[in-house]
Amino acid sequence: MKGVSKRFGGVHALEKVDFSLGKDEVVGLIGDNGAGKSTLIKMLAGVYRPDDGEILFEGRQVEIHNPKEAKSLGIETVYQELALVDNLDIPANIFLGREPTFRIPWLGIIDGQEMERHARQILERLKIKINSMHSPVLNLSGGQRQAVAISRALYSNPKVMIMDEPTAALAVKEVNKVLDLIVQLKKSGVSVIFISHTLQNTFSVSDRVVILRKGQKVGDIATDKTTPDEVVKLMVGAEEAPTGVV
Amino acid sequence: METTGRFKLFIGAANRNRILFPFFSLITLIVVSAIVSPYFLTVINIKHLLAQVAIVAVLAVGETYVILTGGIDLAPGSLLALGGAATAALIKWVGLPIPIGILGGLFIGALAGAANGLLVARVRIPSFIVTLAMLAIGRGATLVLTNGRPITGFPHGVSVIASYIGPIPVLIIIVFVVYVLAQLVLSYTKLGRYIYAIGGNEQAVRIVGINVNRVKLFVFIFSGVCAALGGIMMDARLDSATPTAGQGYELDAIAASVLGGVSFTGGVGSLTGTFMGALIMTILGNLLNLLGVAAFYQYIAKGMILIIAAISLSRGVRYAK
Ligand SMILES: Nc1ncnc2c1ncn2[C@@H]1O[C@H](COP(=O)(O)OP(=O)(O)OP(=O)(O)O)[C@@H](O)[C@H]1O
Ligand SMILES: [Mg+2]
């Protein structure tokens, strides 16, 4: 992304931000509440259109008008607000919007057994154990819900996986599971953008960290060349960014 | 609570417990009615009841679709009158064959429903406001069309709709077919899945790229068609299309859905429940009639039932979480 800006009314959510993501790279996106992290990734996911700037994907300039176009490029997103449909069960959530159907034209009759079979496979691959596939996801734990959201994103073999605070509100054990998942994703050739307020988590999985403050990029550093302390300073603006790293 | 796989699929896992409330209410009501009025369980009263429940029930199907998406439709009472009057006018005044007249009436219902749907989905006006306006417009249009007078005396073919096959009213057969088809759509098709999903978390449904507007447009069109169908059934029953037909029926349609366990915030419920809800509303009216309770009090009773149902069911939801 080059020089991307986004305004909401008078709020400058993002101003001329450059952002890049390499193949098989995990980039941690860091910033205080309201810094513009979610806004940035929503432009990649096709939820918002940038007011200014351009997006390049595999070297080509692209316009992402809606979530479907993002998905067809291979960009999948797990949202902060989880975006699960609470009253539906696990397979229904994983396959929402792309339910397998019987080949009878027009009617769109869902193949429930096929859906359940696939859902079980995906959950097994992620080594996630869930007893009741058919109770509404409302009844699942935070970690299980996160797993369902990730399964949904994984189903289409994406090239880029965006995760907006996937570890928020999770117990420590469940957080570690999600972090393991990210490492697994990277190994299988998926690039990841990871947003978290817990620097420890970000540092443990990211190759590089990008720091946003009040809609501007104030840092872009390889993880092994910086420390959480330095990042915090950039994040809250206590100190001018050291020259050479911005 | 365990139920067999088939049953679970048909009413949806989330709806299992919600079906029990209307079921036991219905049984209780029937038992009480049978005890207090010896006339209640007579064949003639049951025939009459079934014909009567048919019209409320058919409006309630469309209403349930709308409520499942998290909306509300206040227009079915008026669109019943409009669809009924349009069909009557096409057959009696224009002289069209009966099936064409019926299709014409259904089409008018679809148009009015489409207007509702477009305003809700595209212009994003709350459905409460849009359909309240349509309640007024639909009634007004009916009065204009009929010049405020009933259209009476149809060709013989129309009365077939209100006839009986043995003891079973044709009206209830129509309703049965509509319910089965509509429930199959809800349980087994993408469209049905999305109707539930939108009621659960509309934002999430948009994010995965589903065309939410099209689904919303559909439910309002469907509700308009159901209302018009109710109007045509009423034409046949009374051999007349009155401009005041269906007044206040939106209450019955909404109450049938809510009594039947359809969550008024959307996403939960089934037509099996709604049909029981429609039966409860109709039997209640029937019982009050048999007991000689004046119509004025019946309105109060129905309103109170709706509130009681809403309270007990919202409790249920809270406990479920
Ligand atoms: N849809 C919207 N309409 C209006 N303002 C918005 C909208 N989305 C975001 N904003 C504003 O843009 C700014 C950036 O928000 P954003 O959600 O990107 O922050 P964030 O970095 O993700 O914060 P958090 O860590 O709290 O999730 C905030 O000031 C926010 O209020
Ligand atoms: Mg955010």
Side-chain angles (χ1 to χ4, degrees):
Chain A
M1 300 172 95
K2 274 194 194 156
V4 174
S5 303
K6 179 76 193 175
R7 288 172 290 275
F8 294 107
V11 182
H12 290 255
L14 280 180
E15 266 188 275
K16 297 214 163 52
V17 170
D18 296 327
F19 179 86
S20 67
L21 176 69
K23 189 157 170 29
D24 301 353
E25 192 182 28
V26 178
V27 170
L29 196 52
I30 297 174
D32 219 338
N33 290 112
K37 306 181 294 293
S38 297
T39 306
L40 180 79
I41 57 105
K42 279 181 178 169
M43 287 191 288
L44 287 175
V47 178
Y48 299 148
R49 306 276 320 274
D51 294 327
D52 226 341
E54 56 186 36
I55 301 175
L56 299 156
F57 191 81
E58 296 178 332
R60 281 180 306 114
Q61 188 180 340
V62 290
E63 300 221 354
I64 307 174
H65 296 94
N66 54 48
K68 265 212 167 115
E69 290 184 17
K71 283 173 203 290
S72 64
L73 284 173
I75 302 173
E76 284 283 347
T77 314
V78 177
Y79 288 97
Q80 181 173 13
E81 316 87 43
L82 259 177
L84 291 186
V85 181
D86 279 338
N87 55 328
L88 300 185
D89 64 13
I90 294 173
N93 266 286
I94 293 179
F95 286 90
L96 189 64
R98 53 181 175 217
E99 294 81 359
T101 52
F102 293 109
R103 280 200 207 125
I104 307 165
W106 294 106
L107 294 182
I109 298 173
I110 297 173
D111 187 345
Q113 282 181 341
E114 177 74 4
M115 217 163 91
E116 180 170 343
R117 209 171 51 79
H118 267 289
R120 279 191 196 284
Q121 272 177 5
I122 296 170
L123 291 176
E124 255 163 46
R125 207 168 71 205
L126 299 179
K127 299 190 177 63
I128 293 154
K129 283 207 186 68
I130 290 171
N131 299 326
S132 53
M133 294 284 276
H134 289 295
S135 79
V137 296
L138 177 73
N139 301 339
L140 299 180
S141 79
Q144 290 173 324
R145 288 166 61 82
Q146 200 64 52
V148 172
I150 293 172
S151 307
R152 168 155 95 201
L154 267 184
Y155 174 70
S156 54
N157 291 319
K159 296 174 186 159
V160 175
M161 178 83 112
I162 300 171
M163 304 171 123
D164 195 349
E165 306 201 25
T167 54
L170 292 192
V172 177
K173 210 175 119 199
E174 297 189 313
V175 168
N176 289 336
K177 258 215 159 126
V178 173
L179 296 179
D180 285 347
L181 264 172
I182 294 174
V183 174
Q184 239 174 285
L185 286 179
K186 177 185 153 81
K187 276 189 195 144
S188 61
V190 182
S191 312
V192 180
I193 302 174
F194 174 67
I195 300 178
S196 169
H197 279 282
T198 315
L199 288 184
Q200 212 186 334
N201 295 343
T202 310
F203 270 74
S204 73
V205 293
S206 305
D207 302 310
R208 188 155 57 86
V209 290
V210 170
I211 303 119
L212 293 180
R213 186 161 77 87
K214 294 183 183 159
Q216 290 177 323
K217 186 165 88 168
V218 293
D220 190 338
I221 324 167
T223 312
D224 50 20
K225 297 217 171 69
T226 184
T227 60
D229 277 350
E230 185 186 15
V231 167
V232 169
K233 280 177 188 152
L234 289 170
M235 204 172 108
V236 299
E239 193 179 87
E240 282 311 307
T243 47
V245 288
V246 178
Chain B
M1 179 166 310
E2 264 314 306
T3 32
T4 68
R6 216 162 266 271
F7 184 55
K8 200 157 67 178
L9 256 182
F10 195 65
I11 61 176
N15 304 319
R16 258 176 293 163
N17 297 326
R18 298 182 74 91
I19 215 94
L20 295 177
F21 175 81
F23 183 72
F24 287 117
S25 310
L26 182 60
I27 299 296
T28 311
L29 186 59
I30 290 174
V31 170
V32 169
S33 303
I35 293 171
V36 288
S37 168
Y39 187 67
F40 180 74
L41 283 182
T42 57
V43 174
I44 196 145
N45 189 50
I46 290 173
K47 269 167 94 171
H48 174 74
L49 246 177
L50 286 178
Q52 210 175 15
V53 77
I55 290 171
V56 170
V58 88
L59 298 198
V61 186
E63 187 70 65
T64 293
Y65 265 53
V66 173
I67 296 179
L68 281 176
T69 65
I72 188 94
D73 190 351
L74 299 178
S78 295
L79 297 186
L80 176 153
L82 184 61
T87 299
L90 288 173
I91 293 172
K92 278 278 291 183
W93 295 348
V94 184
L96 293 178
I98 294 167
I100 308 287
I102 289 175
L103 284 179
L106 295 177
F107 182 69
I108 297 287
L111 275 187
N116 283 336
L118 283 175
L119 288 166
V120 170
R122 292 244 159 205
V123 192
R124 307 245 174 144
I125 307 172
S127 56
F128 176 80
I129 300 295
V130 171
T131 59
L132 182 61
M134 187 56 78
L135 178 147
I137 294 169
R139 184 65 61 190
T142 311
L143 287 164
V144 169
L145 173 68
T146 60
N147 212 358
R149 282 190 292 270
I151 306 172
T152 47
F154 299 116
H156 177 70
V158 174
S159 62
V160 170
I161 301 172
S163 64
Y164 290 80
I165 298 176
I168 302 168
V170 172
L171 289 178
I172 207 77
I173 296 173
I174 298 175
V175 167
F176 182 73
V177 171
V178 171
Y179 266 76
V180 169
L181 290 179
Q183 182 65 54
L184 287 175
V185 167
L186 282 183
S187 298
Y188 295 112
T189 70
K190 287 190 175 204
L191 176 65
R193 179 65 49 83
Y194 300 162
I195 287 172
Y196 280 107
I198 291 171
N201 185 348
E202 181 174 338
Q203 181 64 16
V205 178
R206 276 188 202 281
I207 279 177
V208 299
I210 292 166
N211 192 334
V212 170
N213 288 357
R214 216 163 58 186
V215 178
K216 285 191 174 177
L217 182 61
F218 173 83
V219 297
F220 281 101
I221 291 177
F222 181 64
S223 187
V225 171
C226 286
L229 178 60
I232 293 160
M233 288 160 56
M234 188 92 106
D235 284 357
R237 241 188 107 203
L238 306 178
D239 194 29
S240 146
T242 50
T244 53
Q247 227 157 19
Y249 274 39
E250 56 280 343
L251 173 78
D252 294 75
I254 294 167
S257 306
V258 173
L259 279 168
V262 179
S263 153
F264 28 82
T265 52
V268 178
S270 72
L271 288 173
T272 317
T274 298
F275 188 72
M276 291 194 248
L279 276 172
I280 292 172
M281 288 306 282
T282 313
I283 292 176
L284 190 76
N286 182 249
L287 177 66
L288 295 176
N289 275 335
L290 291 179
L291 293 179
V293 176
F296 302 158
Y297 291 102
Q298 295 193 17
Y299 279 112
I300 297 175
K302 282 184 176 179
M304 286 182 21
I305 291 292
L306 177 55
I307 289 178
I308 292 168
I311 292 170
S312 34
L313 285 167
S314 63
R315 282 257 172 72
V317 171
R318 239 174 282 140
Y319 289 154
K321 285 181 185 177

